[in-house]
Amino acid sequence: MIYAISVLVLAAIFTVATVAPINMGILAFAAAFIVGAWVSDIPIEEVVDAFPAGTFLIVGGITLVFAIAKANGTLDYIMDRCLHLVRGRRWAIVWMLFALSGLLMSMGAVLAVGMLAPIAMPLAARNRINPFLMGMMITHGGLACVFSPINLYGALVTGIMQSAGLPTNPGAIFLVPFVLNLAIGIVLFLIYGRDLVRRDNRGDEAVSASDGPIGGIGAGSLPFPESDGTGVSTAVLKSSRTGIAADAAPARPRLNRYQCATLGGILFLAVGSVGFGIDIGVSSLCVSAALLLMAPKSHPKIVDDVAWPAVVLVCGMLTYMAVLTKNGTLDFLGNTASAALAPLFTALILCYAVGILSAFASSTATIGIALPLAMPLLLGGEVGVLGFVAAIVFSATVVDVSPFSLHGVMILANAEVEDKVQFQRKMLAYCGIIVLFAPLVVWALVVVPTSV
């Protein structure tokens, strides 16, 4: 009975949070105490101790660093310099935005696609680039680097694996989605972008080397340019729609000392976590403190920009999953699945289930549910741990091309097409293809070879 109630409550949490604007983490915290203390007779103190303090530090610290980088114009500078390199070549515009989306995502910008969509989609329209190609390329570019160790997703996966005592390898978890999303991008370009490599293919209004700074990003003496709250300066959005102002200064923007320090801090987090095993949560908070001390009066409300909803969601789900571990539900589900099906086939079914759920719900929440449910299979040693984890997280995120995901909504909203309904249907059909084939491909290429 306890197992049945635990699973039904989990399903209710997922369902309610999907159809109602309620943070799933809040529901999960409440469920942890109800199912843990009242149903499973777990002492309240043990439920409180199940709170993932390490994951809280990781997610909170990383999103704080990114909030500072967004506020002080570092990300605006990076976008300006990258777009400057394309020099009007249409094929280069597509691949540069693919790379830029991945770069921003790898630096911790979980909303990289949403930041770039207002720039990329108008550029596609003015330079006769297939809007579907552009939208999917910046989406897959971001998803290729979504499991960077200094990204929310990468931190979540690492935290779950560490809490379960499983071996962690951030590089391997990053590499699988990167290679597969890059391969998908190449296929999309070969289908929709071959005409972009023909002669005389320069765009009429694409950013060129002779242009000045995009809307003056990084120019002037102010270390923190005006922003509309999305992380993209208002000047960037205006230039993406109206073109570069005729009186723009010819000099390219330069990094100021605050932005240099921010880039240095981000580089330290990446190298330290991957190369030296430095705790990403502690180091990100130390880097944030140092950056705040450099300009204390310029960040009076920067803590408000931390992704607190994501922090609550992740910590709430991990707390509830810890309760399900204590009352034996996860062991029961894992043992039941392993007894009924072969381990490799169970892994395939779980990859498909994750992909289908994530296409209509939060990929972060789906990962937070799927990985703990897969723990009995992972701990049993019947499948390769890193390969199976990489397959699950890839299956959960690659379907973010769905028009119902946050990324897809931003692409659809900024697409300059005559028929938005038809464009949405095309995105939905493409998502269906991804859901049908991506779990099978990653299972065959990654799970099977690492399990035999």
Side-chain angles (χ1 to χ4, degrees), residues 120-152:
M121 302 311 288
L123 276 178
R126 291 203 306 271
N127 292 281
R128 304 180 303 281
I129 299 173
N130 187 307
F132 178 77
L133 171 66
M134 179 63 83
M136 295 303 99
M137 287 293 280
I138 64 172
T139 303
H140 283 295
L143 296 177
C145 299
V146 72
F147 290 101
S148 161
I150 59 174
N151 185 287
L152 167 65

Side-chain angles (χ1 to χ4, degrees), residues 57-69 105-109 147-152 154-155 158 170-171 260-291:
L57 293 177
I58 292 173
V59 178
I62 287 175
T63 54
L64 179 58
V65 171
F66 171 66
I68 296 172
M105 187 73 80
S106 67
M107 293 171 61
F147 290 101
S148 161
I150 59 174
N151 185 287
L152 167 65
T158 300
C260 287
T262 303
L263 285 177
I266 293 173
L267 180 62
F268 169 77
L269 293 179
V271 175
S273 62
V274 176
F276 300 96
I278 299 176
D279 186 281
I280 188 70
V282 174
S283 58
S284 60
L285 288 175
C286 291
V287 168
S288 298
L291 294 174

Side-chain angles (χ1 to χ4, degrees), residues 176-187:
V176 171
F178 177 82
V179 171
L180 293 178
N181 277 286
L182 177 60
I184 294 173
I186 293 173
V187 172

